[in-house]
Amino acid sequence: MSALTTGLSTAAAAGTDIGNPWVNIAIFGAFVAVTLTVVLRASKNNRTAADFYAGGRAFTGRQNGVAIAGDYLSAASFLGIAGAIALYGYDGFLYSIGFLVAWLVALLLVAELLRNTGRFTMADVLSFRLRERPVRTAAAISTLAVSFFYLLAQMAGAGGLVSLLLGIDSRAGQNVVIAVVGTLMILYVLVGGMKGTTWVQIIKACLLVTGAGIMTVWVLSRYGFNLSDLLGAAVAAPGSAGEALIGPGAQYGASEVSKLNFLSLSLALVFGTAGLPHVLMRFYTVPSSKEARRSVVWAIWIIGVFYLFTLVIGYGAGAIVGAEVIRAAPGGVNSAAPLLAFELGGTILLGIIAAVAFATILAVVAGLAITASASFAHDIYASVLKKGQVDPDGEVRVARLTVVVIGAVAIVGGIFAQGQNVAFLVALAFAVAASANLPTIIYSLFWKGFTTRGAMWSIYGGLISCLVLIAFSPVVSGKVDPNTGASLSVIRDTSVDFSWFPLENPGLVTIPLAFFLGWLGSVLGKERGNEKRAAEMEVRSLTGAGAEKAVQH
C-alpha cells in the first residue's frame, strides 16, 4: 500500500480525457446523499461515550468484519495494487499476500485479547498493569503519529485521484477537492460518531467488493473464464514486462538491497496491521471477545476475496489497456483500474468505479479521524490532564472539537502535500505501528515482567527510530528514476542527497529494535512488573472474566 500511493499525488497533473466528469459528480453526489442519510439516522442513538467511541458495542461480528474490511481497504489498496499487478505482475500481487497474511497476526495475537482488556483505545490495554499517565501519553502520541501520517497520505491522494476522475487539472481545483473530502469527513464523524462511521465503512466495503467482482467477471468473460489465457494475453501485450509478469523480479529487481527493501516493507505491512490504531479500535465496537474474533474472520474472508479480484483486474488491465497506456495516463500506475473500467463498460462503469474510490477515501479518513480524536480526548484529556475526573459528556465534547482540529490540519497538510511523493507517509504509518505499537501490546499481553520503563523505551524508541531512518532514506532524498533522471523522492531537487540509510522502509531495523528496547528497559530498571495485575490481565484477556465490568463504566 505504501509504495503504491505515489502516483495519487500527481494523478491530476494532466487532466483526463476518459469518461464524463458530470456523470462522476452525479454518482459521487448520490453516494454522499445516501451515506449522510444513514449517518443522520445512526446519530439519533449517540448518547454516551461508548456510543461515540465504540458504537455502543452494538455491532455483530459480521457487521464489524465488513466494516473492518471497509476501513482497511484504502484507495491505494484498490487502485495501487491493481496497477502494480498490471505493470509488474507477480511482484505487485505480493502486496495482496502481505496485507492478507497480516490479518492472521491480528486474529491469533490481538483481536480477542484486546477486546477483553480494553474499553476504547489501545492505551486502555497498556495502562491496565503499567503506570497510567506516562503509558497513556506515549500510546496517544504514537496513535496520533500513525493516524496523522496515514490521514495525510489519504488526503493528498484524494486530491489527485478525485481531480483526475472529475477532469480537474488546476492546483486550486485539487485544493478544493481536498477541502471537500476533509469537510465531509468532519461531518460524518461529528454527526454519526463511530456508529455513523461504521455504517459508511460497511456501505463502502459492499460497493468496493461488488464493483471489483463485476470487473473480475467481465474481464474473465473476455477470455472464456480461463485464467491461463488471461495471463498469456497480459504477457503478450505491447510494452509489458513479458514473462517477468508471472515470476518475481519485475518491480524489485534482483540486487541484495532490493531484496532487503522488499523484506523490510513486508515486515512493516504484516506486523503493522496488527498495530494500526484505527483497526484496533474496531475491536471495541462488538459486545464480546467472541464477536471480535468473528469479526476478524469475516474481515479475512472479505479482504482475501477482494485481493483475488485485484489479481484478475490487474492482469486484465495489463492485457486489455496495456502497460504503455497505463504509464502514460495522468494517474500512472493508479489509473489501471479506472482505465480498465472505461474499456469494459464505458462512462457508466467508470463513474461507478470512481464513486467506489471516492467512498473508499471517505471511509478510511473518517475511521482515522475518530481514532485520533478518541486517543486525544480519552487518553490525554480525560485520563492524563483531568486524571479521570471528567464526565463522559465533557469527554465527548472534547473529542468532537478534536475532530474539527484534526480535519483542519489534514486539509492544510493535504494541500501542502499536493505534487509531493506521499508514499513514504503510508510506509511510515505502518512502520511506526509495527515498531512502536505492536511490541508494546504483545509484551503487555504475554510477559509478566514487562514494566513501564520497557513500554516507554519500546514506544518512543520505535517511533523515533522510524522518523530518523525515514528522514535519511531514499524516499526523502537521493532516489532517481534511472530511465528519466527525475527525482522520485520527496525532495524533488536531484542535487540534494543526504540519505545514508539504504532501505525505503525501516521495518527490518526498527521492529526488532523496538522489541529489544522493550525487553532491555524492563530488565534494567529497578521497577518490577506488577505480577498481580499481570495475572489479572492474563485471566481477563484469555477468558473475558471482568470484561463486562469494563464495558459498564
Side-chain angles (χ1 to χ4, degrees):
M1 192 179 300
S2 59
L4 304 177
T5 56
T6 308
L8 290 176
S9 60
T10 58
T16 179
D17 295 321
I18 63 172
N20 186 326
W22 293 108
V23 172
N24 296 340
I25 291 174
I27 298 177
F28 287 172
F31 169 77
V32 171
V34 170
T35 52
L36 277 178
T37 301
V38 171
V39 167
L40 287 171
R41 289 175 63 87
S43 68
K44 295 179 180 179
N45 296 320
N46 274 344
R47 298 186 179 90
T48 66
D51 289 330
F52 186 80
Y53 293 140
R57 310 190 200 280
F59 291 97
T60 65
R62 180 174 58 184
Q63 290 172 331
N64 193 47
V66 178
I68 287 174
D71 206 3
Y72 187 67
L73 298 172
S74 72
S77 184
F78 173 40
L79 301 176
I81 289 178
I85 293 173
L87 297 184
Y88 309 113
Y90 181 92
D91 281 6
F93 189 56
L94 288 177
Y95 279 92
S96 298
I97 296 173
F99 290 142
L100 183 59
V101 170
W103 279 101
L104 296 179
V105 178
L107 174 64
L108 298 175
L109 296 180
V110 174
E112 186 175 0
L113 307 182
L114 203 74
R115 173 60 187 84
N116 281 337
T117 51
R119 290 181 60 205
F120 300 133
T121 65
M122 175 186 74
D124 289 336
V125 177
L126 304 184
S127 63
F128 187 90
R129 46 174 288 217
L130 305 176
R131 293 204 307 274
E132 185 171 20
R133 296 187 70 185
V135 168
R136 281 194 181 275
T137 302
I141 290 173
S142 175
T143 296
L144 290 171
V146 174
S147 300
F148 175 74
F149 291 121
Y150 211 128
L151 186 60
L152 188 60
Q154 294 293 324
M155 293 294 289
L161 171 65
V162 181
S163 297
L164 165 69
L165 297 172
L166 298 184
I168 299 171
D169 57 6
S170 69
R171 187 178 180 88
Q174 296 172 42
N175 294 344
V176 170
V177 169
I178 290 176
V180 169
V181 171
T183 302
L184 285 173
M185 170 193 74
I186 295 170
L187 185 61
Y188 283 151
V189 178
L190 284 182
V191 174
M194 180 57 86
K195 283 184 179 179
T197 299
T198 299
W199 282 112
V200 170
Q201 290 164 345
I202 290 174
I203 294 171
K204 169 258 174 160
C206 294
L207 286 174
L208 182 62
V209 175
T210 301
I214 290 171
M215 291 181 66
T216 298
V217 173
W218 206 324
V219 168
L220 287 176
S221 68
R222 287 202 172 192
Y223 298 92
F225 292 95
N226 189 318
L227 185 61
S228 295
D229 289 348
L230 171 60
L231 296 179
V235 169
S240 77
E243 294 292 334
L245 284 177
I246 54 177
Q251 182 176 7
Y252 300 103
S255 71
E256 295 304 317
V257 172
S258 297
K259 293 176 182 178
L260 286 176
N261 196 49
F262 178 72
L263 176 61
S264 185
L265 178 61
S266 299
L267 285 174
L269 297 180
V270 169
F271 291 107
T273 298
L276 288 174
H278 64 291
V279 171
L280 296 177
M281 193 169 174
R282 292 232 53 89
F283 298 142
Y284 299 123
T285 63
V286 291
S288 67
S289 60
K290 179 182 178 181
E291 292 298 307
R293 185 172 65 251
R294 284 188 62 210
S295 66
V296 177
V297 174
W298 271 94
I300 288 174
W301 276 105
I302 294 170
I303 293 168
V305 169
F306 171 79
Y307 282 138
L308 288 177
F309 289 162
T310 62
L311 179 67
V312 176
I313 293 172
Y315 277 114
I320 297 171
V321 179
E324 294 178 350
V325 176
I326 293 172
R327 288 191 178 94
V333 65
N334 298 283
S335 66
L339 288 172
L340 177 62
F342 185 68
E343 287 290 331
L344 294 174
T347 301
I348 298 300
L349 185 58
L350 173 65
I352 293 172
I353 297 304
V356 168
F358 186 63
T360 297
I361 292 171
L362 276 178
V364 173
V365 297
L368 289 165
I370 196 167
T371 300
S373 66
S375 182
F376 178 83
H378 180 64
D379 296 326
I380 294 181
Y381 175 77
S383 300
V384 176
L385 298 180
K386 293 295 185 179
K387 300 180 182 178
Q389 304 301 312
V390 60
D391 64 281
D393 290 339
E395 184 177 325
V396 171
R397 280 195 300 271
V398 172
R400 292 181 188 274
L401 179 61
T402 306
V403 169
V404 176
V405 174
I406 290 171
V409 171
I411 290 172
V412 173
I415 289 173
F416 276 102
Q418 277 295 319
Q420 295 292 323
N421 181 342
V422 297
F424 83 103
L425 294 172
V426 176
L428 181 57
F430 271 84
V432 172
S435 304
N437 293 350
L438 186 64
T440 314
I441 293 172
I442 297 298
Y443 278 142
S444 295
L445 291 172
F446 296 104
W447 184 25
K448 293 182 179 180
F450 192 49
T451 67
T452 302
R453 174 182 286 190
M456 296 297 96
W457 284 23
S458 179
I459 293 175
Y460 288 126
L463 176 61
I464 294 171
S465 62
C466 279
L467 292 173
V468 171
L469 293 184
I470 284 285
F472 293 100
S473 73
V475 298
V476 175
S477 68
K479 186 178 181 180
V480 178
D481 188 326
N483 298 318
T484 64
S487 174
L488 298 177
S489 302
V490 174
I491 297 177
R492 297 297 186 181
D493 189 348
T494 56
S495 64
V496 177
D497 182 5
F498 49 81
S499 63
W500 51 261
F501 184 67
L503 305 181
E504 295 181 21
N505 189 288
L508 187 62
V509 174
T510 58
I511 296 172
L513 177 63
F515 272 106
F516 172 73
L517 290 175
W519 169 82
L520 186 64
S522 297
V523 299
L524 286 184
K526 296 180 181 179
E527 171 191 9
R528 294 183 59 188
N530 190 328
E531 295 185 4
K532 181 179 179 181
R533 292 288 284 175
E536 181 182 347
M537 185 175 188
E538 182 179 16
V539 172
R540 177 184 287 195
S541 65
L542 294 176
T543 67
E548 288 302 313
K549 183 178 180 181
V551 171
Q552 296 170 0
H553 275 291

